[in-house]
Amino acid sequence: MSSELISDYEVVHSRAKSFYERYERKPELQHQTHFCPGCGHGTVHKMLARAIDELGIQDKTILIGPVGCSVFTYYYFDVGNVQAAHGRAPAVATAVKRSHPGSIVIGYQGDGDLSAIGAAEILHAANRGEHISVIFVNNGIYSMTGGQAAPTTLIGQKSTTTPGGRNAATEGYPLQVSELLATLQAPVYIERVGLGDNKQIAQANRAVKRAVENQVRGLGFSLIEILAPCPTIWKMSAVDSQHWVRDVMEKTYPLGVFCDRTKEVQPRGLPEAGPSLDQIPHILGVADEDLPEGNSAVVEKAEDIDLHVRVAGFGGQGVLLLGEVLAEAGLDAGLEVSWLPSYGPEMRSGTSNCHVRLSSQPIDSPLVTVPNILIAMNEPSLRKFDLSVRPGGWVIYNGDTFPADCMREDVHVLALPFTQVAHELGDARACNMVMLGTLLEIANSLPQASIDVALRRLIKNPKWVELDERALTRGRELFKESLQEV
Amino acid sequence: MMNVEKRDRGLLRIDVDECKGCGLCVEACPPKVIGMSVRLNHFGYRTAEYAGAGCTGCGICFMACPEPGAITVLRAATRKAGQVPMIDTGMEGATQCASN
């Protein structure tokens, strides 16, 4: 055929603009999806991309991806993407839609994701009538994990967890999500469609577009359930699995519209924007003089500050508070900070530790696996974390003598009876603040004003503030004295 | 144009590198003008193959195909003087064909 002739033809169906040109998930095969040949997801992806194209909403669409075979929506759709934890797409979609009311939020979920682990999320999102569109792809099985039974597995259908076929007496009945949700008052549109033949595919295409259009019109919650083939796990050819959708699945999951309130509901405009930050005190009735002061002192970021601190001890020693004061002081000084506690369910006597980071740069991870300062408030904590300290770092140990077998050549060690020191100051419980004082003197990167502010923010009792201030000062002195001794 | 013989209403382009050979388009095609190739493509799949004539441009194969861009459907432009070509982008035509 000559090119002259082809030029008389116009392209009417081609790759949707809402798809990326190339899928950069892996270096090779960037031109095709990761789906198996004949997978229903590919077909549904195309319907959704086409709907987004036709409605002209690519720039304001946020797609919430699921866990399952279709987890990689963000590699395919050139729209805003959030990939939610398993089953939580409706909850994430709720948050996204409420915080960005002008966007079009579409949840995309499979049947394992939506009807099993995420059953509560979809039920409540539907019941609240969240203004989102949900595309629910039902193939009756957990495909990505290798074919376990889902709540939607048909009676008698074999899976790796129902090798004799699903039995209603032990595994219950197939969950009819569309019928279930249609009993609620809030949903605006719920329809079940299939991919069983050309006619069904054409109807599915219209339904997907309608679900998105309902949201564009501000109508409310729409869900489209799509019966989709899974040739690989069903162990059928693509064509046979398509027939199976129509001939077998449809008997359990009849197609049709289960709820349509699109004509009755009033379109909802965009909700009012929330109050700005400076309006909040007024709304709460807080007088100007009661507002917290701003930062007392911002550290000049002349040098890079990067503290990785691990504080460990037994519960009740004030391990977490020590870390909190440090982080709060860093915050006041205008640094990036993180404080991550880690403890068991016991309120007292269990082990307890916290990760604290202070940095002049944004913090990548709040975890401190390789600390440059370790505060070990008892011996088990020392033994647990001693080897993790970065060479050149500091170990501050609460004890008269440092256990010989914990000695390391490549770290600085300061072992002092901090509890005894605190006891002499007035209360052994101030031990944590003595140790913090030592740490602050070692790190020497926070202004005293920030520490004072942090202490007053976190400790309400003036008696304790006074004691803790003395404890901090004593801790600083202890470090200086230790230098003179050497 | 010298060729006055009646042209097909539609035309099909199949990207053999994107096609995974599931055969759904072969099943879906109302005029049955898509078959499977004998040769394997670069990745080892037998791919869909247009017979070369008879396409109506209905677009059903496109919607049945799970790959985003494996199939491109073209339709003969019906041009009248000074008019933009009429393009039917919806699936309305497809539904009619499907019920045939």
Side-chain angles (χ1 to χ4, degrees), chain A residues 9 31 33 35 46 50, chain B residues 8 17 20 62 67 75 89:
Chain A
Y9 286 88
H31 59 286
T33 64
F35 297 121
K46 281 172 80 173
R50 189 187 182 108
Chain B
D8 282 332
D17 285 337
K20 290 172 180 164
F62 177 82
E67 287 298 310
R75 206 174 288 168
T89 50

Side-chain angles (χ1 to χ4, degrees), chain B residues 32-56:
Chain B
K32 298 292 168 214
V33 293
I34 309 176
M36 297 302 286
S37 69
V38 177
R39 285 186 52 189
L40 303 180
N41 74 357
H42 178 62
F43 306 103
Y45 291 120
R46 291 179 64 195
T47 62
E49 203 170 52
Y50 177 40
C55 176
T56 63

Side-chain angles (χ1 to χ4, degrees), chain A residues 69-326:
Chain A
C69 287
S70 51
V71 62
F72 294 133
T73 48
Y74 49 90
Y75 279 115
Y76 302 131
F77 288 91
D78 186 7
V79 298
N81 283 283
V82 180
Q83 198 269 316
H86 207 351
R88 272 60 187 169
V92 175
T94 299
V96 172
K97 182 69 181 181
R98 288 188 179 195
S99 52
H100 297 275
S103 61
I104 301 299
V105 181
I106 304 169
Y108 187 109
Q109 296 186 267
D111 52 320
D113 194 67
L114 182 142
S115 72
I117 190 167
E121 271 75 10
I122 193 65
L123 185 67
H124 292 291
N127 193 38
R128 293 191 304 266
E130 295 297 339
H131 283 225
I132 57 173
S133 311
V134 178
I135 307 299
F136 168 37
V137 179
N138 179 2
N139 59 16
I141 200 113
Y142 275 88
S143 298
M144 191 196 75
T145 49
Q148 294 79 10
T152 45
T153 298
L154 305 184
I155 294 292
Q157 187 180 348
K158 288 184 180 172
S159 70
T160 58
T161 46
T162 56
R166 181 175 186 165
N167 178 354
T170 45
E171 286 95 41
Y173 292 90
L175 195 67
Q176 293 171 309
V177 174
S178 291
E179 284 87 337
L180 182 71
L181 296 183
T183 61
L184 303 172
Q185 292 174 36
V188 162
Y189 192 79
I190 295 177
E191 180 176 356
R192 183 185 289 124
V193 293
L195 300 180
D197 57 28
N198 291 346
K199 212 170 173 176
Q200 290 189 359
I201 290 171
Q203 178 58 28
N205 192 53
R206 280 192 291 268
V208 167
K209 184 176 175 185
R210 180 147 191 202
V212 181
E213 205 172 4
N214 285 344
Q215 190 182 160
V216 173
R217 291 170 57 201
L219 295 183
F221 182 89
S222 307
L223 179 138
I224 305 299
E225 175 175 352
I226 303 169
L227 305 182
C230 177
T232 303
I233 300 294
W234 294 356
K235 298 183 176 64
M236 295 176 196
S237 74
V239 173
D240 287 348
S241 59
Q242 190 184 45
H243 292 169
W244 202 76
V245 167
R246 186 188 59 204
D247 301 335
V248 181
M249 261 189 115
E250 203 191 317
K251 290 193 171 66
T252 303
Y253 298 111
L255 307 187
V257 177
F258 294 92
C259 148
D260 183 358
R261 298 191 178 92
T262 50
K263 290 198 177 62
E264 307 144 37
V265 295
Q266 292 299 312
R268 183 179 72 169
L270 295 182
E272 277 180 48
S276 69
L277 208 55
D278 20 311
Q279 291 173 307
I280 290 174
H282 175 69
I283 293 168
L284 295 175
V286 178
D288 283 347
E289 59 268 26
D290 292 334
L291 289 178
E293 294 154 29
N295 292 357
S296 56
V298 174
V299 174
E300 292 295 331
K301 292 175 186 173
E303 53 178 323
D304 269 355
I305 296 167
D306 193 16
L307 287 182
H308 297 242
V309 181
R310 192 79 178 249
V311 191
F314 63 78
Q317 277 187 313
V319 168
L320 303 188
L321 182 65
L322 194 169
E324 223 177 338
V325 173
L326 181 60

Side-chain angles (χ1 to χ4, degrees), chain A residues 5 8-10 12-15 23 29 31-33 35 38-39 42-43 46 50 198 205-206 238-239 243, chain B residues 1 8 17-18 20 22 27-28 43 62-63 65-68 72-77 79 87 89 91 95:
Chain A
L5 195 56
D8 278 352
Y9 286 88
E10 308 280 346
V12 284
H13 300 284
S14 62
R15 174 202 299 272
Y23 317 126
L29 298 177
H31 59 286
Q32 50 179 229
T33 64
F35 297 121
C39 176
T43 317
K46 281 172 80 173
R50 189 187 182 108
N198 291 346
N205 192 53
R206 280 192 291 268
V239 173
H243 292 169
Chain B
M1 205 172 298
D8 282 332
D17 285 337
E18 186 166 340
K20 290 172 180 164
C22 68
E27 174 81 4
F43 306 103
F62 177 82
M63 287 316 296
C65 172
E67 287 298 310
T72 303
V73 181
L74 298 92
R75 206 174 288 168
R79 267 201 199 98
I87 303 295
T89 50
M91 283 292 288
T95 345

